[in-house]
Amino acid sequence: MRGNIAQLMQQAQKMQEDMQRAQEELAKVEVTGNAGGGMVSVTLTGRMECRKVRIDPSVISDPEMAEDLIAAAINDAVNKVNAASQEKMGAATAGMQLPPGMKMPF
């Protein structure tokens, strides 16, 4: 029984190290969300920090359309960051089943 606990503790330690590494890698990731066929683009880091916003000058003449395109580009970038996060965290927790509704990182 003691061997099983020691093995479980080793696995938990490795998973913790893998998750830390995945979080560090994710922080370095940059993704770009687009809207309006590239008329608006937003670049976010894996930590959801905005690095760049590019707006085609033709969009500025219609403020409502510009607002909608900016929101859509941000949402596209956020979805891409979330997908990258799930991929990296999924690799870090490979084989470990989490209870339903529990998300990584905690």
Side-chain angles (χ1 to χ4, degrees):
M1 187 78 155
R2 282 185 93 147
N4 290 342
I5 292 174
Q7 184 180 10
L8 186 60
M9 293 299 288
Q10 286 177 337
Q11 288 175 339
Q13 178 67 31
K14 182 183 180 321
M15 187 184 76
Q16 185 177 15
E17 291 168 2
D18 290 347
M19 285 182 54
Q20 180 67 31
R21 193 173 309 111
Q23 287 174 340
E24 291 168 2
E25 289 174 10
L26 187 61
K28 296 174 187 174
V29 169
E30 286 192 2
V31 300
T32 301
N34 294 292
M39 295 177 78
V40 175
S41 65
V42 174
T43 301
L44 298 179
T45 68
R47 290 188 174 156
M48 302 287 187
E49 295 170 344
C50 186
R51 290 285 185 224
K52 183 177 180 182
V53 176
R54 192 195 63 73
I55 302 171
D56 188 286
S58 65
V59 174
I60 296 175
S61 64
D62 185 349
E64 284 185 32
M65 182 175 74
E67 291 170 357
D68 291 343
L69 291 175
I70 292 167
I74 291 170
N75 289 334
D76 185 39
V78 167
N79 288 335
K80 289 178 180 180
V81 169
N82 287 336
S85 177
Q86 286 181 342
E87 180 181 324
K88 291 210 180 285
M89 290 300 152
T93 61
M96 182 178 175
Q97 296 297 318
L98 297 176
M102 187 174 206
K103 295 182 181 179
M104 297 297 260
F106 300 107

